[in-house]
Structure formats: structure tokens, C-alpha cells
Amino acid sequence: MTKINPHVAILVDSCSDVPADFIAEHHLYMVPMTIAYHDEIFLDKVTIDPDTVYANLDKEVPKTASPTGDLIAKAFDDIKADGFKEVIAICISSGLSGTFQQVQIAARVSGLDVSVIDTKNIGIASGLTAILAAQLSEEGLHKVEIEARIRTVAKRTKIFFYVPTLTYLQKGGRIGKVAGMAGTLLNIKPIISCDDDGIYYPVAKVRGEKKTLLKMKKLLAQTIGNAQRFNLAVADGANHEIAAQLTAELHELYPQAEHIFTGNVSPALGVHTGPGSIGLVVQVLA
């Protein structure tokens, strides 16, 4: 059983896509986004899964929202009940969600010593920061040391992803600087990332899935550069075959990677990306 640092708890939002097995094994706390249909509200990753979201997108595109104040307050109460006094909360980009602000507000009245980190990133690219924070906590580092380290590494974490259609990003208002790059009739696949402000922007546009995946791998290699230590991740939205293929290729290309994480895009993110998305992430540690 993993030794729990009695001083520093790690809280993460559901759209940071930390793999469920890591959350359970390393005792992270998670606050879920909400997904609202016209007749029912679900909790991201708790009462709804990605496949359910994708299966119903042609009937209704639900609204997503940041975790409610009550859900965040409950997470802080659970953290206190488990004996923690210090918390590091990891949030997806404040440029794409109000979660960072919501957690900040709840933190002020939590009775805990809370640092809230805006990763300026999305999905597992944000989640890798939480994973690192948990690992450093287990190593016994103090909160100030963990915070300094993860703030540095978060800036060296990059995601490259594509979606088969920009329709859902447009409907959800999350299009950022990618607007005008749809090009669906020409089979153009924009490769998207987050800029320094945590806003979506187009890195490249490629024709066809095969060439798009090749370009993504080249971008990943360029980002790794001469790094001596790094983690990788592959995330997908109901594109499991391609994700498995890419994961196998990354294991072969980068046997020196400290870890290669895999997982599904969260249901709340899936509302905005639609089915078929693929993301590659590199986290440069040193």
C-alpha cells in the first residue's frame, strides 16, 4: 500500500484525466465537472461515462460546467477528515474552464492551507502535473517544494491532439484560435495544443488521419528534444485502436520514457471534442 504523506493532499478536477487506477492507488481526491442534459444532470466520471456521451451527441449536445461549490467543499471536507492540513489542487486551464476560479473560492473558506495550480493545459496534459505532485508528496517533499517543482514542469508539458470534426468545439464555445480551420470537405485535420495562456491554438493542419498522426509524432519528438527525463501519455475519445497502436509505437521509440500513461478523454471533455479524438502528451522532467 502506498504511504500517504500526512501533510499534503492532492486534489484534481475530473477533466485533468488522471487515470482512475492512479487516483485509487495514490489516494488523490477528485472533483467532478457537471454534464447537464435537458432532463438530467450527471457528474463527470462518476455517474456518466464517455461512451454514453458519444452515443447521445446526435440527439443532444449537453452543457458542461465547472464543479459546483458544494462538490468542491465536500472534497475539502473529505481531505480534512483524512487528517490532511495542506492541499495542492491541480486544475485545467483557466482559459478553458472556470474550475480554477471555483476551487480558489472554495479554498479560501476550507480551513486548509491550499495552493491552487492553473496548469494552462487540458486533459491528461493537466493530469500529469497532478501525478507528479502525488509522487513528490509520497517522497516526503514539503508543500512549498512540491509547488515550485510542479509549476516549473507544468510549463514544460505539451499536448498535441486532433479531433475528426471541429463541430463540437464550436458548439461548446471552446474553439479558441482554431476558428476557421474546419476544412472538413478537404479532410483537413488541425492539430491543436494550448498556448501559454491555456487557450486552444492550431499547431499544424494536415490532410488525412495517417499524415496527421505522423505529424503529431514529429511534434512530440521535437518537444522531447534532448530531454534526459520525461513522461508521455496517449489519450483518446472512443478511438481505442489508434490509441493502442500509438502507445505501442511510443514504447518502441522511447524506451527511456519514465512512464507512458494511457486513458480515455473524460465525458465532459468528450462533449466538446466528440468521438475519435487522439492526444499525445510529453512532460519534460529534466
Side-chain angles (χ1 to χ4, degrees):
M1 183 176 178
T2 302
K3 179 178 179 291
I4 298 174
N5 185 319
H7 301 297
V8 186
I10 309 300
L11 176 68
V12 67
D13 63 67
S14 61
C15 279
S16 289
D17 282 346
V18 176
D21 56 351
F22 189 94
I23 287 178
E25 183 179 350
H26 297 269
H27 200 67
L28 274 66
Y29 299 83
M30 185 188 78
V31 286
M33 306 287 181
T34 58
I35 300 174
Y37 290 88
H38 72 281
D39 59 350
E40 195 167 1
I41 295 176
F42 296 91
L43 299 181
D44 192 37
K45 290 188 175 180
V46 178
T47 58
I48 194 169
D49 59 38
D51 290 342
T52 301
V53 167
Y54 299 139
N56 289 284
L57 280 177
D58 59 337
K59 301 171 188 172
E60 181 182 359
V61 178
K63 303 292 185 183
T64 61
S66 304
T68 64
D70 288 346
L71 288 172
I72 301 169
K74 181 184 183 305
F76 283 137
D77 287 342
D78 290 343
I79 287 169
K80 283 192 286 189
D82 286 343
F84 291 97
K85 297 179 181 178
E86 298 179 331
V87 186
I88 293 178
I90 310 295
C91 299
I92 60 169
S93 173
S94 61
L96 297 170
S97 168
T99 303
F100 172 72
Q101 290 86 352
Q102 287 287 95
V103 175
Q104 276 190 319
I105 291 167
R108 295 188 191 114
V109 294
S110 66
L112 293 160
D113 177 4
V114 186
S115 293
V116 189
I117 309 298
D118 180 358
T119 63
K120 303 291 186 183
N121 234 317
I122 196 73
I124 188 62
S126 177
L128 289 183
T129 298
I131 288 171
L132 177 61
Q135 292 168 335
L136 295 175
S137 177
E138 289 168 5
E139 290 173 13
L141 271 68
H142 293 291
K143 177 171 170 284
V144 66
E145 297 172 304
I146 298 171
E147 184 177 350
R149 174 70 173 141
I150 63 174
R151 285 189 184 277
T152 297
V153 173
K155 294 176 182 177
R156 301 199 301 250
T157 303
K158 196 76 173 174
I159 186 169
F160 303 103
F161 73 94
Y162 89 88
V163 291
T165 173
L166 295 176
T167 299
Y168 301 107
L169 284 175
Q170 289 170 323
K171 286 183 177 179
R174 301 302 201 278
I175 198 72
K177 300 170 184 175
V178 189
M181 286 191 67
T184 50
L185 294 178
L186 299 174
N187 199 23
I188 296 295
K189 308 292 186 184
I191 297 173
I192 303 167
S193 189
C194 293
D195 64 16
D196 291 342
D197 296 319
I199 305 295
Y200 290 148
Y201 78 103
V203 181
K205 52 182 179 180
V206 187
R207 192 183 301 264
E209 183 177 72
K210 187 174 181 180
K211 290 182 179 178
T212 300
L213 295 174
L214 182 60
K215 180 63 175 179
M216 288 170 67
K217 286 184 285 185
K218 287 181 178 178
L219 290 166
L220 198 73
Q222 291 169 7
T223 306
I224 293 170
N226 296 320
Q228 299 300 304
R229 297 182 57 219
F230 58 91
N231 288 316
L232 301 174
V234 180
D236 76 285
N239 202 344
H240 308 315
E241 185 176 341
I242 295 296
Q245 172 192 320
L246 286 171
T247 302
E249 289 178 10
L250 294 185
H251 276 289
E252 185 175 341
L253 289 168
Y254 303 106
Q256 74 274 35
E258 297 200 359
H259 203 103
I260 299 179
F261 295 93
T262 60
N264 297 327
V265 171
S266 72
L269 279 181
V271 169
H272 300 289
T273 58
S277 63
I278 285 286
L280 297 181
V281 181
V282 58
Q283 179 190 53
V284 175
L285 299 169

